[in-house]
Amino acid sequence: MNWLYLYAAIFIVVTVLYLRRQARRQRQHVAQLEESIATGMAEPQSLHPVVGGNICIGSGSCVAACPEQALGIIHGKAVLINAASCIGHGACLTACPVDAIQLVFGTERRGVDIPNISPEFETNVPGIFIAGELGGMGLIRKAAEQGRQAMDAIRKRTGGQHDYDVVIVGCGPAGLSAGLSAIQHKLRYKLLEQESSLGGAVFHYPRNKIAMTAPVELALVGKVKFGEVQKEKLLDFWNGIVAKTGLKIAFREQLLGIEPRDGGFVVRSSQHEYRTRTVLLTMGRRGTPRKLDVPGEETPKVVYRLVDAEQYRGQAVLVVGGGDSALEAAIALSQEPGTEVTLSYRSEAFARVKQKNRMLLEQQQQAGRLKVLLKSQVKSIEARSVHIEHEGRVASHRNDAVIVCAGGLLPTELLQKVGIRFDTKFGTA
């Protein structure tokens, strides 16, 4: 009998501790949600989860699976508490034990334009195909599958005198998969990537971020049996595939236009023009980085996203922008030993940024680890310096690198000029 009392006491203690822990976590999640709403960051920017409240059992599996900590448990149900950090990779979807999560674009208040495509991934413009993130699929596995399936449809197209059978624009998961399929089907292809590295959105993930959560089938390679894998390992694997298969990628070629001609298309990039029978668009929804349009911006030391703060250790770095990405870049850089950081923003105050980022920025500024120049504008960029207009005068600042975090220009307008139709999604799949 004494043992029975002992077991009962242990059960009661464990239950009380569990309930206290759950209550503490709920308070934290409620506070995060309230902060997101107060700072205007409660609207998701991309593909994101919607949780079916009547189905959700509050297991917390989705919360644990989300590397961005975008989900929380409130009143026993999963809730998107940090919408701005969600990037739509779908780890929560696969983790949910009761299929209570659906990935959608847009919200009731903010619509998102998604191109209208057929089951074979062809747009309403015959000969132009879309696969991957631009078409509404942010999951790595499914984007890669779409790239392969789109190429199966493209290889059946014949006729016309063109230099290429297909021009593929974008070398993320869908573009990489499509390129491998083009080699397998012995198609004449050209694969364009506007950045200097492959990987698309994955390349810009934070260090050590979980990038893939399910196996994927690739032409020439077969089934890639990755479960959860860190970004760096996945990129190394993809680069290995490129080297092994001989996949040719034209880096630093930005898409400028597509013109129908002679039963096919002329694709204009920032470097060349390509005559092709078909076009496969596999770029992401980040679009083309918004540039400063100042002298010297074309130099290699100017980039448009911080990937690894450690590589700038000991350098003089200028960050340009006033959103969360700019603040987070400046903060991360200021934490590297010997790095001299300047943050330039054209407005007089930071608006619509997370309170946490605002506080960390102030802390680093007060500690003398970074300098903030509000109401400032970059005038020119030189090899070892930058010229910034601030408080009515232009001053020269020592500089080794410039990181521009000024958002991106979505490809929607360019595609609409070709005649591609879009559907506006308001919180639908």
Side-chain angles (χ1 to χ4, degrees):
M1 186 63 69
N2 290 336
W3 287 107
L4 182 61
Y5 286 127
L6 177 61
Y7 290 145
I10 292 173
F11 175 78
I12 292 171
V13 170
V14 170
T15 302
V16 169
L17 292 175
Y18 172 78
L19 293 175
R20 285 182 176 177
R21 179 174 177 270
Q22 292 299 97
R24 183 172 63 253
R25 289 183 63 193
Q26 173 166 297
R27 288 194 297 270
Q28 293 172 346
H29 294 162
V30 168
Q32 286 179 267
L33 178 59
E34 290 176 346
E35 180 183 334
S36 295
I37 295 173
T39 56
M41 305 301 291
E43 287 287 318
Q45 302 300 310
S46 64
L47 191 69
H48 63 279
V50 169
V51 182
N54 294 331
I55 304 175
C56 178
I57 60 175
S59 69
S61 298
C62 58
V63 177
C66 179
E68 292 77 37
Q69 299 180 331
L71 288 160
I73 300 294
I74 297 178
H75 301 309
K77 305 292 182 181
V79 177
L80 190 62
I81 60 174
N82 192 4
S85 68
C86 179
I87 61 173
H89 52 54
C92 55
L93 176 71
T94 56
C96 179
V98 293
D99 296 326
I101 292 177
Q102 183 182 28
L103 295 180
V104 304
F105 275 102
T107 65
E108 291 182 359
R109 295 192 303 171
R110 184 182 62 84
V112 173
D113 292 330
I114 301 295
N116 192 330
I117 57 176
S118 73
E120 290 189 323
F121 306 100
E122 189 171 20
T123 68
N124 61 287
V125 178
I128 298 182
F129 295 74
I130 291 178
E133 186 182 357
L134 180 63
M137 180 43 62
L139 303 180
I140 293 175
R141 175 178 60 84
K142 290 189 176 180
E145 179 65 19
Q146 286 186 359
R148 185 172 63 84
Q149 291 176 351
M151 199 56 65
D152 284 342
I154 288 171
R155 71 186 178 93
K156 300 173 185 176
R157 302 299 173 96
T158 58
Q161 298 296 317
H162 310 287
D163 297 330
Y164 296 94
D165 297 311
V166 60
V167 169
I168 306 165
V169 183
C171 196
L176 179 69
S177 176
L180 295 174
S181 293
I183 295 176
Q184 183 181 59
H185 297 310
K186 297 180 171 56
L187 299 179
R188 296 167 301 163
Y189 74 94
K190 191 71 180 183
L191 176 53
L192 310 181
E193 170 54 53
Q194 70 177 7
E195 301 199 35
S196 58
S197 300
L198 60 80
V202 176
F203 178 76
H204 296 292
Y205 284 178
R207 293 179 70 192
N208 301 320
K209 176 179 173 54
I210 300 300
M212 182 182 287
T213 58
V216 61
E217 188 84 20
L218 296 175
L220 303 181
V221 178
K223 192 170 186 178
V224 180
K225 297 181 180 179
F226 278 135
E228 292 191 348
V229 60
Q230 291 178 336
K231 156 198 165 176
E232 289 79 8
K233 184 177 179 181
L234 182 59
L235 291 177
D236 285 344
F237 176 77
W238 282 349
N239 279 300
I241 288 177
V242 170
K244 182 178 179 180
T245 61
L247 180 67
K248 303 298 183 185
I249 307 170
F251 290 109
R252 290 187 176 273
E253 287 207 37
Q254 177 187 338
L255 175 66
L256 298 182
I258 303 172
E259 177 187 340
R261 188 184 300 176
D262 300 329
F265 304 91
V266 173
V267 176
R268 289 191 303 108
S269 80
S270 54
Q271 303 294 330
H272 301 284
E273 288 189 352
Y274 304 99
R275 296 175 66 250
T276 179
R277 187 174 70 238
T278 60
V279 179
L280 175 57
L281 303 173
T282 58
M283 62 268 218
R285 294 186 60 81
R286 297 189 331 274
T288 303
R290 183 174 284 109
K291 298 190 175 183
L292 303 177
D293 292 327
V294 299
E297 188 173 7
E298 71 283 355
T299 58
K301 77 173 187 176
V302 180
V303 298
Y304 296 89
R305 189 181 293 247
L306 175 66
V307 177
D308 185 359
E310 187 177 355
Q311 74 180 88
Y312 296 100
R313 181 174 295 178
Q315 298 184 34
V317 185
L318 171 67
V319 179
V320 183
D324 277 307
S325 61
L327 268 65
E328 288 166 2
I331 293 165
L333 289 163
S334 70
Q335 294 169 344
E336 293 296 326
T339 304
E340 180 184 320
V341 185
T342 302
L343 175 60
S344 171
Y345 184 42
R346 64 180 181 224
S347 297
E348 61 184 12
F350 298 110
R352 294 180 60 82
V353 296
K354 299 173 187 175
Q355 183 62 25
K356 178 182 178 182
N357 286 337
R358 195 189 302 271
M359 292 174 58
L360 287 173
L361 185 74
E362 291 175 355
Q363 289 175 8
Q364 295 299 88
Q365 188 178 3
Q366 291 171 2
R369 298 192 181 99
L370 63 82
K371 180 191 301 182
V372 176
L373 301 178
L374 295 174
K375 299 177 66 175
S376 65
Q377 188 172 357
V378 178
K379 306 303 290 184
S380 65
I381 300 170
E382 297 181 357
R384 305 300 298 174
S385 65
V386 291
H387 293 86
I388 303 174
E389 182 179 351
H390 181 232
E391 296 182 346
R393 68 185 187 90
V394 177
S396 177
H397 300 258
R398 185 175 75 87
N399 178 261
D400 300 305
V402 178
I403 302 173
V404 181
C405 302
L409 302 172
L410 294 177
T412 306
E413 183 178 351
L414 184 152
L415 302 184
Q416 286 175 332
K417 288 181 179 179
V418 188
I420 295 175
R421 291 196 295 265
F422 287 76
D423 295 327
T424 303
K425 304 288 188 178
F426 288 92
T428 54

